Amino acid sequence: MNNRIIGIVGGALLIIGIFLPLISVAGLLSFSSFFVITNAPIAGSWPLILIALCGVGGLLLALTNNYKALLAPGVIAIGCLVYSFIQMKSEMGSMGGPGATGAGADNELAQQMLATVSMGVGVYVMALGAIALIVAGVMKSPARVGNSGWGGAPPPYTPGS
């Protein structure tokens, strides 16, 4: 595989990951990044918008053979995924943590409800896409052959040989 294919796959995975489930609640209810982007205020969904833009940018860079520049969207997408993960975990922790309001039974119920929330497959697909962009940017490009003989005159024909 060469840089172009890996870059195209990485950009496509970032874009596809936006439409896959981001958060799953008890395996029954799931929310995609696209749902969050369209229904949340911009202040809360900017990392997901940036990931989508990194996917489009990575795809365009791979199609125009700018392989070294693929590092930037890959690193930005990984950073946004890590930021979103930490932000989600801290918000979930504050919902049912010791500082939450209510009696002990309510706090225990909140902990049980939070135990049903898990990461969806979209997070993993976007992480693979970002890693693929980084790999395509770091991987050495194949050397171009200077004179392969294509496009030149054919060798002379000598009858009897």
Side-chain angles (χ1 to χ4, degrees):
M1 291 181 72
N2 61 8
N3 300 29
R4 184 176 191 155
I5 294 173
I6 295 173
I8 291 171
V9 168
L13 284 176
L14 280 177
I15 295 169
I16 291 169
I18 295 293
F19 300 101
L20 295 176
L22 182 68
I23 299 171
S24 177
V25 180
L28 301 173
L29 188 68
S30 61
F31 300 102
S32 68
S33 300
F34 185 72
F35 177 81
V36 174
I37 290 170
T38 56
N39 294 322
I42 297 295
S45 62
W46 68 266
L48 300 174
I49 294 171
L50 195 57
I51 290 172
L53 291 175
C54 284
V56 172
L59 197 58
L60 290 175
L61 287 171
L63 289 173
T64 57
N65 298 331
N66 292 328
Y67 304 125
K68 295 295 180 194
L70 287 173
L71 280 171
V75 169
I76 291 170
I78 287 282
C80 288
L81 282 171
V82 168
Y83 174 78
S84 296
F85 180 77
I86 291 171
Q87 182 183 12
M88 186 187 79
K89 285 294 186 182
S90 69
E91 286 179 10
M92 285 177 35
S94 67
M95 284 184 208
T101 59
D106 293 338
N107 196 8
E108 184 178 327
L109 179 63
Q111 288 292 331
Q112 290 175 354
M113 288 175 61
L114 287 175
T116 63
V117 177
S118 64
M119 302 301 284
V121 71
V123 174
Y124 303 115
V125 169
M126 288 187 283
L128 283 175
I131 291 170
L133 287 177
I134 292 170
V135 167
V138 172
M139 199 166 78
K140 191 171 189 175
S141 299
R144 297 190 179 204
V145 178
N147 185 7
S148 61
W150 290 95
Y157 175 72
T158 55
S161 58

